[in-house]
Amino acid sequence: MTKTHLIEQLPKHAGVLICGHGSRAKIAEKEFSLLAKGLKQRFPDLHVEYGFLEYSSPNIHMALDKLVAQGVKKIYAVPGMLFAATHAQNDIPSVLTTYAEKHQDLDIEYGQELGLHDEMIAAFQTRILEALQLDHVHTGDLYDTMLVVVGRGTSVTKANAEASKLTRIVCENLGFGWAETVYSGVTFPSVGRGLEMAVKLGFKKIVVAPYFLFGGKLIDRIHAYVDKVAAENPEISFFKANYLRDQSHVINTFIERIAETIDEVKPAVGLMQSFKERLARGEVDIHHHHAEFKPDPQDDEAPAPTASSHARSHTHDHAHSHSHSHGHSHTHHGHHHAPYKHIGHPHGPRSMINENLCCCFMSQFPQEIIDEEKARKPELPGTPSCKR
């Protein structure tokens, strides 16, 4: 059953509650309400309400009252928050639990924060490309551009780490030359300090992208910092990405989180099961690696090959030699590195060419990159580690 079908087949007495933090900024209230509106458009027969922890109306109690007044007996509540910090972990569950204790005939299930779902990453990347006035990029297009992601910032270390993780994912997906994470909240580096450090790296184009759902005073403050640093560094072009709002990728994530709450999240898929499922879908090729022992013919103590191993040596032997202009060759015993799309990144492994870099990497570089690096700096004496 698909995620959509799980929601469509809910009984009439079931409903959905989206829980937000709340803001003194009216624009944040209005934009949060669009999430419920977007879900209602996808599922016209579904009971959907939204409520806030503080500052804004309706609060969560009021939203729960509305659902109960509609005859709802089963509520699937999801936090409308990007990461699992204190509000999602403690405050919202506390409000829901207190309400349920006073309404014994009401059953409330609580779901997961939006997190780093693929749809949320797609939503964020869409905003970044919009800021650059692009609809797609090719490998290398953004090597001259820096990305600065602005997270909310919290006292919960793991939530801050998720923002940094997002930065790395987007940096590799889109191929930025460099990326850093700054925060508008209680942690470090702050937006202002982070931007002051970013301009020292020498990039002439910097994209500042706030990973926020809605507008408000924090967005205004972030933009003010960008404008200040941009005025002080007129030689650098700054691009301000928009926040996420209720774009379709965000609504898709809410649908996923609601469906997971209905279905009750299953235990994590094990590595072997995941591999077999991806293999069945044609998403992975089988390579013979180091674990498949191949005896060295020069080794007197190596076991004699069997008929089956002899047959495999003719049909699946991936051992190969590489000879490069850097003056050495290397025979691999089933050793394999998957090609990496950013192998030519100016700050990646190419910076180690002529520094006794392992042939496993050297085999991935186009010859023009090898030639460029050799012309740029002298080759260091010595032997690559893979040859020792």
Side-chain angles (χ1 to χ4, degrees), residues 208-244:
V208 181
Y211 192 60
F212 282 62
L213 274 176
F214 311 110
K217 292 183 178 180
L218 290 179
I219 293 293
D220 294 341
R221 190 184 305 164
I222 291 166
H223 288 174
Y225 278 122
V226 175
D227 292 341
K228 176 179 180 294
V229 176
E232 294 169 349
N233 299 271
E235 74 282 3
I236 300 175
S237 297
F238 283 86
F239 302 84
K240 291 182 284 190
N242 207 340
Y243 49 93
L244 302 176

Side-chain angles (χ1 to χ4, degrees), residues 59-130:
N59 62 33
I60 292 176
H61 275 260
M62 295 165 64
L64 289 166
D65 286 343
K66 288 182 181 179
L67 288 170
V68 170
Q70 296 168 37
V72 172
K73 301 294 184 182
K74 177 79 173 185
I75 295 176
Y76 298 98
V78 291
M81 297 177 180
L82 296 171
F83 300 121
T86 303
H87 297 310
Q89 290 178 337
N90 301 330
D91 298 338
I92 294 174
S94 176
V95 173
L96 297 176
T97 299
T98 300
Y99 191 92
E101 288 173 349
K102 296 178 181 179
H103 299 76
Q104 295 296 319
D105 59 340
L106 183 65
D107 185 14
I108 302 177
E109 299 286 347
Y110 184 54
Q112 185 180 343
E113 78 284 356
L114 297 172
L116 295 184
H117 191 284
D118 286 347
E119 288 280 354
M120 294 304 296
I121 295 169
F124 193 42
Q125 291 178 171
T126 296
R127 293 300 189 222
I128 291 169
L129 291 176
E130 287 173 352

